[in-house]
Amino acid sequence: MTGRALIVGAGIGGLTAALAIAKAGFEVAIFERTAVLEEFGAGLQLTPNATRILERLDALEAVQSRALAPRAICILRGRDGALLSRLPLESAQRRWGAPYLVIHRADLQRALVERVAQAPNITLTLGAEVGGVTSDESGVTIGVKRGAIGLRERGDFLIGADGLRSIIRERLGLGGRDEASFSGRVAFRAQVGAHSVAERLRETEVTLRLGTKTHLVHYPLREGAIVNLVAVIESGWRAKKGDDPWDGSADRASLARAFAHWAPQARALIDGAAEWRAWPLYDRPAIPSLASGRVALLGDAAHPMLPFLAQGAAQAIEDAGALADCLKASSDPSQALAAYSQRRAPRAARVQAEAKAQARFYHMSGPLALGRNLGMRMLGPDRLLRRFDWLYGA
Ligand SMILES: Cc1cc2nc3c(=O)[nH]c(=O)nc-3n(C[C@H](O)[C@H](O)[C@H](O)COP(=O)(O)OP(=O)(O)OC[C@H]3O[C@@H](n4cnc5c(N)ncnc54)[C@H](O)[C@@H]3O)c2cc1C
């Protein structure tokens, strides 16, 4: 099958989908509403289920050159920094067939944009906001606004990779844009210069510190020049409808309060970051189908998830890999998208559910936390790692 694919959104999902669909032989047009792909976001862990697909798309080398491969995941008790477990990642390649990486989101996006620019059959249009979508027997038409100019674009099928508040999802009748619900948790993200932190914190490792209703993840990025911090707290904050901005620095006091009784090393990280930005964490129930006719959803538009398994971008990348396989296997776009949905919906729903469960596991208190800590010590690193085989080895 050949033809023209339209993609809404040039996040990690849309860009990877473009590479995958172009590799399957299609012409691809991506429309992204922001005029500049900014230094937005922070660090991402890229797990082997995602890096395996990037390799298939000839994008792994570009990504790896900007990433670090952590040697281990260290799980510590928040209040005193006691080691609960150290999961070695040196064997990731052997165990799961692909590397485990950490990378700045902007660097990952840049690597993907570079690959997109090299592909003769992909065009990326920035500052292009997609509004309406209509679909008929022979194709899909979208309305695209570029400044004051409104255009129409036609393709054989459409991929909505337009994130949590997806307009494409709304048009498919799979829920309003503002229906994502606040999870009761807020992630604060910051970066500190590696020179300003203790040597132990510069190790090429992912460190996860667990406390009551609170956890902290940190790892180095950009050749070890910076340390990426993600602090998650439970909070009653609610967004007003359609109102995303949040003044992270204004709420530093509640962040400091949440970590007040933690080990000095962790507190130093919390206090040491000049600027924190906050991401209220949203959730949406899993949907049974990711496609309808010639339109399909991908990434956060399809299955937004809590970040506690570090899987949002990884699942978007998995979507892209599956989409390419299904497009290659069928000459009919609607059939290919239906097959894609069948393949991806159950797995994405499972990952969404497991990420939610992980949130409860991380934030346990009292006897439950004691049991969790004891359990991790008794299980040992190898058996703990085995619990991720279904996810990373797929
Ligand atoms: C605290 C935190 C930590 C995380 N850590 C990890 C991690 O370690 N590993 C991991 O895999 N994931 C992680 N994630 C999740 C990950 O960042 C997201 O799941 C992923 O980036 C989603 O990519 P996407 O392309 O689907 O959506 P987005 O990145 O939201 O991209 C959507 C794009 O569509 C564009 N768009 C929207 N509407 C329109 C329109 N109408 N017209 C044109 N363009 C439009 C937007 O401008 C945007 O560029 C984390 C998330 C958080 C909050």
Side-chain angles (χ1 to χ4, degrees), residues 14 46 241:
L46 263 189
K241 267 202 158 179

Side-chain angles (χ1 to χ4, degrees), residues 253-275:
S254 65
L255 186 63
R257 255 196 319 278
F259 290 91
H261 303 294
W262 277 46
Q265 251 189 3
R267 279 210 322 276
L269 283 172
I270 299 286
D271 297 340
E275 192 197 0

Side-chain angles (χ1 to χ4, degrees), residues 38-45 102-108 110 187-197 201 216-231 252 255 268-279:
E38 285 174 276
E39 280 272 311
F40 157 81
L44 289 177
Q45 299 179 59
V102 290
I103 187 166
H104 197 292
R105 184 188 179 279
D107 296 342
L108 174 59
R110 202 166 296 130
F188 288 75
R189 289 163 129 179
Q191 280 152 23
V192 291
H195 56 85
S196 67
V197 305
L201 304 176
L216 174 67
V217 182
H218 54 89
Y219 47 84
L221 290 175
R222 293 191 165 155
E223 294 179 348
I226 53 177
V227 177
N228 182 70
L229 308 173
V230 187
R252 253 190 115 112
L255 186 63
L269 283 172
I270 299 286
D271 297 340
E275 192 197 0
W276 284 94
R277 291 186 63 198
W279 269 257

Side-chain angles (χ1 to χ4, degrees), residues 9 11-13 32-33 44-45 105 128 130 161-162 189 299-300 310 312-314:
I12 305 309
E32 166 56 49
R33 73 173 165 204
L44 289 177
Q45 299 179 59
R105 184 188 179 279
V130 175
D162 50 341
R189 289 163 129 179
D300 276 8

